[in-house]
Amino acid sequence: MSDDPLPPSSPTPAPGRPTVRTAAVIPAAGRGVRLGPGAPKALRALGGTPMLVHAVRAMADSRAVSLVVVVAPPDGAGEVKSLLDTHALPERTDVLVVPGGESRQQSVKLGLDALPEGYDIVLVHDAARPLVPVDTVDAVIEAVRDGAPAVVPALPLADTVKQVEPAATPGEPEPVVATPDRSRLRAVQTPQGFDRATLVRAHETVTDDVTDDASMVEQLGLTVVTVPGHEEAFKVTRPLDLVLAEAVLARRRLNDGF
Ligand code: C5P
């Protein structure tokens, strides 16, 4: 279990620190085509429980998170709501479900639009990263509380990365144009944490297609910082990732003594 390094989001502030409420937005509206045919990715089961439920629990496990906004497939908000109603979640955490959009970026924006007043820190967490440990979630929140406008969990890369000139036809050889210094590269995960006003401004200002929210804050000219990521926060993207996720769950069950 976690050491619970953060004060709970109670109305009583810790000495010297004002109460700052944290909400998590979970974009879960993707189809997950790379995972193969079947239900939308977030609704696929892991250890018998939908991936999305794992992701909501991973956010709710942090005592600092008092609201989770789930962004459902545009035509599936009702189904997602009933699904969440049938799974136990901590009582201290409120859950809202809103319909998502065409892109991840639009889905996050719709989640942000649904946030009530009173939440000054926002986490954005992919439903596709169901197994992120609570210590990683807390480390992100802590860094935002310490004053960073945007925080990403990051890991060094195992593979060397090449920049290529993409081939017109998939599978054709692609010329390599550069090899960035691996020691300066990081693979970033979620939850990414933000000062709410900064993230809202980023979503109002940046219109380019992006693959994560922190890069929108970078485009505002602000500094994004990293905290250590975790290997269990990997994104379930391809069929092999499902096998790995099941193995991580099995190991946790063994360690928890079930
Ligand atoms: O496609 P990708 O793996 O980058 O998706 C990351 C997350 O964004 C997933 O949790 C997915 O459900 C979500 N997403 C979304 N709305 C979309 C596309 C993706 O909420 N239109």
Side-chain angles (χ1 to χ4, degrees):
M1 285 306 279
S2 129
D3 294 326
D4 188 22
L6 293 168
S9 46
S10 71
T12 319
R17 231 176 188 187
T19 300
V20 181
R21 299 216 293 166
T22 301
V25 173
I26 302 187
R31 296 244 23 118
V33 273
R34 288 170 290 181
L35 209 51
K41 177 158 71 174
L43 305 184
R44 310 259 183 127
L46 278 184
T49 302
M51 206 176 321
L52 174 62
V53 174
H54 287 283
V56 173
R57 285 181 179 155
M59 296 300 102
D61 275 351
S62 168
R63 296 184 60 83
V65 173
S66 46
L67 171 67
V68 179
V69 178
V70 174
V71 188
D75 54 355
E79 189 190 344
V80 165
K81 205 172 173 326
S82 340
L83 179 89
L84 292 172
D85 285 345
T86 59
H87 290 84
L89 296 166
E91 278 195 7
R92 62 168 185 271
T93 316
D94 292 327
V95 178
L96 266 177
V97 180
V98 297
E102 284 291 300
S103 66
R104 180 187 183 282
Q105 210 167 336
Q106 282 175 11
S107 294
V108 172
K109 169 88 170 59
L110 290 164
L112 278 178
D113 290 347
L115 271 186
E117 289 298 307
Y119 291 90
D120 295 319
I121 296 179
V122 180
L123 304 179
V124 181
H125 181 60
D126 290 333
R129 297 183 191 270
L131 303 180
V132 59
V134 68
D135 288 353
T136 307
V137 180
D138 283 341
V140 170
I141 298 169
E142 192 73 46
V144 181
R145 283 185 176 179
D146 284 346
V151 179
V152 296
L155 287 178
L157 296 188
D159 296 324
T160 294
V161 170
K162 303 284 184 195
Q163 186 182 339
V164 299
E165 193 54 53
T169 320
E172 288 289 303
E174 299 177 317
V176 170
V177 294
T179 304
D181 174 7
R182 191 175 70 187
S183 68
R184 295 172 67 93
L185 296 177
R186 302 286 181 269
V188 306
Q189 305 175 321
T190 72
Q192 300 189 345
F194 303 90
D195 158 60
R196 177 186 181 165
T198 303
L199 185 60
V200 168
R201 185 154 68 90
H203 273 270
E204 283 167 358
T205 315
V206 178
T207 48
D208 305 348
D209 271 351
V210 293
T211 50
D212 78 340
D213 298 271
S215 60
M216 304 173 84
V217 173
E218 290 164 51
Q219 289 194 45
L220 295 181
L222 298 173
T223 301
V224 174
V225 298
T226 67
V227 293
H230 196 286
E231 60 178 356
E232 292 182 4
F234 64 92
K235 184 156 75 170
V236 176
T237 306
R238 298 183 186 85
L240 194 59
D241 299 323
L242 285 172
V243 178
L244 182 58
E246 293 287 358
V248 170
L249 280 176
R251 185 174 68 179
R252 284 186 187 176
R253 273 190 219 108
L254 213 62
N255 289 346
D256 289 350
F258 286 115

